[in-house]
Each structure stands twice: as structure tokens, then as C-alpha cells.
Amino acid sequence: MTRRAALLAGVAFTLSACSSKFISYDGPQVTRVEVQKANRRMYLMHHDQVLEAFEIQLGFTAEGHKQFEGDGRTPEGRYTIDRRNPNSSFYLSIGIDYPNAADLEFASSRGLKPGGDIFIHGWGDKRRGRGEDWTAGCIAVSNREMKKIYAMVEDGTPIDIFP
């Protein structure tokens, strides 16, 4: 291989590595995620220390706790990060274990389904601005922010979602 070909191959490899949506994180463990719906803020916490803070977008009906499939609300309460989707339509996503037993019981008592598939996810392919809620009940951040969150937050991490 000529020197020029080797240089071009190295540049191509470096650029492809930069475009990866997966990064590593070796800082303090995220022990809890806190979401404040009213302030449209999410915090990645190490005990009482804020490691990162993000502006968020919520379900298109932002007020109130998610109760039924299709209500457009983001859940409120304590849940757990329970899965991840590296092939999400919204760039990357990490799952929230909604509905819990109380959510299931409430929806069932009304003869309705509680809904599900609630995630923290990126914006996907669409260019979105801050300030307007648009998800079906999920928590959205920019793709760049989601890359960081995906690396930092492990499955099993508690998430507290406040009104």
C-alpha cells in the first residue's frame, strides 16, 4: 500500500469512528435519573450530584400522569430503565418500565389499556426545535444528547418523573 493510500484509509477510519452513535463513558455511575416535567428538564444524578442536565420534550399532552394508551401523556412516578434500543426510529432509546402494577390496575378498572413503550429517545431523522412537546408519551432530547445518555445510563437505573 502506498503512503497516500494508507493516509486516506486512516482518515476514512477516523471519520467513520467519529460518526458512530456509540460512545463510551467512564465517569461516575448514574445512580438515578430525575425528570421535572413542569421545567422540561432531565438530570442524570450520581447520588445528590448532578452529572448532566438536559432540556426535554414530552408527550403532546404534557399535563398529568399517563393513564391510558393514546392519551399522549408522559408517566409520573418512580420507574426503572429496563431496556435499550440501538436501532430506534428516534436515533437511540432507553426504555422505561411503564406500566407498573398500579398503572395496570387503574387502566383495567376503567376497561382500558395503559399503553406502554415509553422511552427516553433522540429526535430521529427530523430536525426539531426546542420548546414544543411532540412525543406520544416519551421523553425526547437531541440525538447528540441521546448519544451521551445512552452511554451513561445503565439498565436497572431508577427514574423519578415529577409533575
Side-chain angles (χ1 to χ4, degrees):
M1 181 183 287
T2 68
R3 182 179 173 147
R4 181 176 177 165
L7 180 61
L8 288 174
V11 168
F13 176 77
T14 301
L15 289 175
S16 69
C18 291
S19 68
S20 173
K21 62 183 178 179
F22 302 105
I23 60 173
S24 59
Y25 172 72
D26 64 355
Q29 178 186 15
V30 175
T31 57
R32 183 173 63 92
V33 177
E34 181 175 311
V35 174
Q36 296 178 3
K37 289 172 56 175
N39 298 334
R40 302 297 188 279
R41 302 287 290 171
M42 179 171 66
Y43 303 94
L44 304 187
M45 308 291 295
H46 177 72
H47 304 292
D48 291 334
Q49 176 189 6
V50 175
L51 298 174
E52 294 283 341
F54 303 95
E55 284 185 54
I56 59 172
Q57 293 161 313
L58 301 169
F60 60 83
T61 306
E63 297 298 317
H65 172 60
K66 181 165 194 60
Q67 296 176 323
F68 311 114
E69 185 174 69
D71 67 8
R73 293 184 173 131
T74 301
E76 296 171 356
R78 173 158 273 202
Y79 296 93
T80 302
I81 301 301
D82 68 344
R83 63 199 180 280
R84 48 196 59 240
N85 183 357
N87 300 311
S88 171
S89 298
F90 298 99
Y91 190 64
L92 293 168
S93 61
I94 56 176
I96 298 171
D97 70 344
Y98 173 89
N100 62 25
D103 299 320
L104 289 166
E105 184 178 327
F106 180 81
S108 177
S109 74
R110 305 298 193 278
L112 297 168
K113 296 178 183 176
D117 286 335
I118 302 297
F119 288 86
I120 300 170
H121 60 67
W123 290 348
D125 293 338
K126 290 190 178 178
R127 185 100 177 120
R128 300 184 190 273
R130 301 266 184 203
E132 206 167 309
D133 294 320
W134 58 272
T135 77
C138 295
I139 299 163
V141 295
S142 73
N143 291 349
R144 184 182 334 188
E145 292 166 333
M146 191 61 220
K147 182 188 290 194
K148 187 181 284 190
I149 293 163
Y150 195 89
M152 292 176 72
V153 178
E154 299 174 1
D155 289 357
T157 302
I159 177 169
D160 292 312
I161 306 172
F162 297 102

